[in-house]
Amino acid sequence: MIRWLLLASLVVAIPSHGLAADEFSGADKLRAIYTAEFRFTKDGLPVVPVAIAEGLSSVTITAAAGSLRLLPEGDGGAEIRADDTWQIRASATTAAVLRYWAVVWRGPVAQGQEADVQMVQWKARGENPRRFEQGTLFGVGGEVLDRREAIVGAGPFTSPEEAERSLERLSTKSPLIHPGVFNELVDRPHGYLEAVGGKSGFKVRNEGVLWFVPVGDALLRVEASGERGKENFKVAASYAGRVYVTIDRLGTMAVVNAVPENKLLAGLIPAEIFPSAPEEALKAQAVAARGELLSKIGTRHIGDPFRLCSQTHCQVYSGTGHETPRTTAAVEATRGEVLFEKGGAELADPVYSANCGGHTENNENAWPEMAALPSLRGHRDAAPDKSDAFAGGVTSENVAAFIAHPPAAYCGQSKLGAGDRFRWTVTRTKDELGKLLNKYRLGPIQSIEVLERGVSGRARSVRVSGVTRSETIHGELRIRQTFGNLRSSLFVVEMQAGGAIFRGAGFGHGVGMCQTGAIGMAETGKSYREILRHYYPGTVLRKLW
């Protein structure tokens, strides 16, 4: 039988172990989990809230005997130590209310006057513009780092797809500056969370969020289940740091791990690169992943009750139990080291991909919503060589030769991660192609033509022609997905018997550090600093904590 208990009757007066009220306090707990503010541990490490899973109907959290505290109001509020296992369910939930805006202009917050000008101009063009801000402003190492950007959006629209479709219409009125879609959170999701003690049967009910905090360095075991689309899924893993359960944008539950940066990277890096890679490659990966954390917070998952997800959309994170001594040592060896753009004042955005295929790509070619960054210029994945036929880039004229007769490249000589990531061939039969392109209603496919390529030769737009009509597909990722998740958009294509043969190079978007290439460089004796300078030219490596 479940026993109901008033929180006040179960409060145990336990010291907060020196922790001051922070973003995890009850002062404004629901507002805090939606902000993009940075918080730090008492040791000066950033604490990053990463979603373990969303769309959950049931969550169970367990810790070793005597190692689990339930904090309904966060630090400074009630602490409950009635059980080592709690099962959580949600009730009386409502989904978030969001609106979507087609981004017609974006730039640094410092360009506020230009944003005002854009507002006036787009209103004169008959649109309904709104101005927004996203990104982070935080202080660390005695200085303030401003990662905020101003956004002017036209709309609103009821879905991201509708907002995206409007971009083509808007572009006929005026050139769009770093277009995309902005999610506006009109009203956060609501609901109650009920935690039931596994042994005692005590039941704790709170609005919006429940915090689960380990004692000392104990790990929290999370077991959860839910539904994604038409498929059921389960989560079962252990996590360092704190865990909170809250209501996600769909009105179901999300589990979030608020974890110190070093613990997060220790669990993340083994999922991002081969743990057996050379030590210097692992260090380069640690620095790049750390920078990615800082650059993504405040720009991803706007309207979600967390900063980052644990999937490839942000960076893959699977909790504890996946660490290896070598990758953890790389995190500690580069503690607090972060890349800055030339001059050392602005944070770099050190994105990376699995294998560039021999040539990296300009960031704006992969993500048009991004400004062109000096550190993310596409270049050959090899030592400078004036005789290199592809030193000036991979073009429509030489891409077939680049793929068929690959030149020397760090990512081609590596002992790890080369193989069918460096060069590959994929065939889509007539039936497979028809299914993949069915939504466009093109009829039997007659031709696939690459209309535009980036500096690495990656396709930026592709025209697919059928018996009925033609469709132009834009965007590196969308192109890959359209043809059945190709390894990259660096390919040439040949039609055969109504199907298509794709001959390609690389694995991923190709921007920034090539992980296979980093391994190849390390195998030749290059240090992690040399690797970072190669893939992020002009950057400055600084220690922030």
Side-chain angles (χ1 to χ4, degrees):
M1 178 178 180
I2 294 177
R3 286 172 281 176
W4 287 85
L5 211 65
L6 293 175
L7 287 180
S9 67
L10 193 59
V11 173
V12 181
I14 302 173
S16 294
H17 303 287
L19 289 173
D22 56 13
E23 77 165 313
F24 312 128
S25 71
D28 195 355
K29 60 184 184 301
L30 293 177
R31 181 200 66 83
I33 63 176
Y34 282 91
T35 68
E37 298 174 3
F38 267 104
R39 301 295 178 178
F40 296 83
T41 68
K42 61 183 179 181
D43 297 324
L45 292 172
V47 177
V48 185
V50 181
I52 297 169
E54 306 168 72
L56 302 172
S57 56
S58 176
V59 178
T60 301
I61 297 178
T62 306
S67 299
L68 180 57
R69 298 184 292 154
L70 192 163
L71 279 63
E73 297 294 324
D75 285 320
E79 294 190 14
I80 302 169
R81 291 194 183 181
D83 275 281
D84 300 316
T85 298
W86 294 89
Q87 185 174 41
I88 306 98
R89 292 187 180 276
S91 62
T93 63
T94 58
V97 178
L98 294 105
R99 295 191 298 193
Y100 305 91
W101 298 78
V103 176
V104 295
W105 179 92
R106 76 174 77 212
V109 166
Q111 296 179 7
Q113 287 186 323
E114 177 60 23
D116 293 337
V117 170
Q118 291 287 332
M119 288 282 292
V120 172
Q121 291 177 343
W122 281 98
K123 190 170 184 179
R125 296 177 184 124
E127 300 299 329
N128 175 38
R130 280 277 302 276
R131 177 175 171 172
F132 303 93
E133 284 188 9
Q134 70 175 15
T136 53
L137 176 69
F138 61 97
V140 63
E143 60 183 292
V144 175
L145 301 176
D146 195 343
R147 293 284 299 172
R148 296 172 300 166
E149 62 179 3
I151 291 175
V152 176
F157 300 95
T158 57
S159 72
E161 294 77 16
E162 184 184 4
E164 188 169 348
R165 286 194 297 268
S166 74
L167 290 171
E168 186 171 352
R169 174 184 65 82
L170 293 166
S171 67
T172 63
K173 295 188 174 186
S174 179
L176 307 183
I177 310 299
H178 309 307
V181 175
F182 179 80
N183 301 346
E184 179 195 9
L185 179 63
V186 178
D187 187 26
R188 64 172 177 80
H190 297 273
Y192 289 88
L193 294 162
E194 299 170 344
V196 180
K199 292 183 179 179
S200 67
F202 291 148
K203 191 169 188 178
V204 179
R205 188 170 185 260
N206 202 41
E207 183 181 5
V209 62
L210 286 171
W211 286 93
F212 296 87
V213 181
V215 175
D217 294 327
L219 300 178
L220 300 184
R221 176 77 176 175
V222 176
E223 297 181 7
S225 60
E227 186 174 310
R228 186 181 293 117
K230 297 181 179 180
E231 296 182 359
N232 296 324
F233 68 94
K234 292 184 178 181
V235 175
S238 296
Y239 296 86
R242 303 171 175 218
V243 167
Y244 63 86
V245 183
T246 188
I247 310 298
D248 62 25
R249 65 168 62 190
L250 298 177
T252 51
M253 288 188 294
V255 181
V256 183
N257 185 200
V259 60
E261 169 263 355
N262 64 333
K263 298 289 187 182
L264 174 57
L265 289 179
L268 181 155
I269 291 177
E272 292 283 357
I273 193 171
F274 297 105
S276 59
E279 179 181 352
E280 296 303 301
L282 296 180
K283 290 179 183 178
Q285 178 66 70
V287 173
R290 184 178 294 112
E292 273 282 83
L293 293 178
L294 296 181
S295 64
K296 282 188 168 69
I297 290 178
T299 62
R300 300 287 177 98
H301 295 286
I302 306 300
D304 285 318
F306 47 83
R307 312 293 191 271
L308 301 172
C309 67
S310 55
Q311 307 303 315
T312 52
H313 176 252
C314 295
Q315 292 185 93
V316 177
Y317 171 59
S318 303
T320 61
H322 301 276
E323 301 96 332
T324 71
R326 300 184 75 249
T327 51
T328 299
V331 173
E332 294 305 320
T334 61
R335 180 185 174 100
E337 291 187 350
V338 178
L339 286 173
F340 282 72
E341 293 287 357
K342 186 176 181 179
E346 183 180 348
L347 278 172
D349 191 356
V351 295
Y352 52 88
S353 66
N355 190 305
C356 70
H359 202 296
T360 65
E361 184 56 79
N362 292 345
N363 68 289
E364 70 276 15
N365 289 341
W367 305 291
E369 69 273 16
M370 289 181 68
L373 297 177
S375 62
L376 296 179
R377 301 298 81 205
H379 56 82
R380 282 278 287 115
D381 188 29
D385 183 354
K386 293 182 180 180
S387 65
D388 188 341
F390 305 99
V394 182
T395 66
S396 296
E397 289 71 31
N398 65 20
V399 62
F402 181 77
I403 293 172
H405 308 288
Y410 292 124
C411 59
Q413 69 189 37
S414 169
K415 297 176 183 177
L416 290 172
D420 63 357
R421 293 186 173 193
F422 184 61
R423 291 294 182 273
W424 47 267
T425 299
V426 170
T427 299
R428 300 288 183 238
T429 66
K430 179 180 178 180
D431 289 345
E432 290 172 337
L433 211 55
K435 290 179 181 178
L436 290 168
L437 299 167
N438 180 59
K439 65 178 180 180
Y440 297 114
R441 302 185 182 280
L442 306 177
I445 306 303
Q446 295 181 316
S447 66
I448 300 171
E449 179 186 4
V450 177
L451 302 178
E452 184 182 11
R453 293 184 185 271
V455 68
S456 71
R458 282 169 169 77
R460 297 183 62 194
S461 62
V462 172
R463 181 168 57 219
V464 184
S465 299
V467 172
T468 306
R469 53 183 293 273
S470 297
E471 180 76 21
T472 300
I473 301 161
H474 299 278
E476 180 270 342
L477 178 59
R478 179 168 294 175
I479 290 168
R480 282 193 275 152
Q481 293 173 332
T482 296
F483 297 111
N485 295 317
L486 298 176
R487 290 174 174 84
S488 83
S489 67
L490 174 45
F491 61 75
V492 292
V493 58
E494 175 189 352
M495 297 298 297
Q496 193 173 97
I501 300 174
F502 297 88
R503 294 182 175 88
F507 195 133
H509 51 68
V511 182
M513 187 176 76
C514 170
Q515 292 171 300
T516 309
I519 294 171
M521 290 186 72
E523 288 171 348
T524 66
K526 302 293 186 183
S527 71
Y528 78 100
R529 293 176 181 270
E530 291 175 301
I531 294 171
L532 294 171
R533 282 197 295 269
H534 172 70
Y535 289 110
Y536 309 107
T539 54
V540 178
L541 188 62
R542 297 176 53 192
K543 187 176 179 65
L544 292 185
W545 57 82

